[in-house]
Amino acid sequence: MALIKMARKKKLKLGKDIGLISYNDTGVKEILENGITVISTDFEAMGKTVAQAIIDDKQIVKRNPTKVIKRLSL
């Protein structure tokens, strides 16, 4: 948020004058400043993995997939 405030103050345009990448997607990042690019874990896959581990009563170690969601801030 501080970077967005600074860009506004200096009249810089995200995706044109500066780029912004954030971690973990939220609904706000989808709409803020016409969309903030994110590197995000796949929360749906994580939920399914955890649910299956609970059902199977097993401890697991597994790398959760991540993805880049490119939006107008980059």
Side-chain angles (χ1 to χ4, degrees):
M1 294 304 243
L3 182 63
I4 293 171
K5 286 180 181 181
M6 181 192 74
R8 285 180 181 169
K9 189 174 187 177
K10 295 184 179 221
K11 300 193 186 311
L12 299 172
K13 185 90 171 151
L14 287 180
K16 182 178 179 187
D17 302 315
I18 61 171
L20 176 61
I21 299 175
S22 183
Y23 287 108
N24 291 327
D25 198 22
T26 65
V28 171
K29 291 176 185 174
E30 189 174 350
I31 60 172
L32 184 65
E33 296 292 316
N34 297 314
I36 304 297
T37 298
V38 294
I39 299 170
S40 188
T41 192
D42 186 335
F43 290 106
E44 184 177 343
M46 183 190 308
K48 288 178 181 179
T49 300
V50 170
Q52 193 61 52
I54 292 168
I55 290 167
D56 296 342
D57 194 26
K58 289 184 179 179
Q59 289 185 354
I60 60 169
V61 175
K62 182 177 180 182
R63 184 172 294 212
N64 198 55
T66 58
K67 57 187 170 186
V68 175
I69 302 172
K70 190 167 187 261
R71 298 191 178 117
L72 296 179
S73 72
L74 192 60

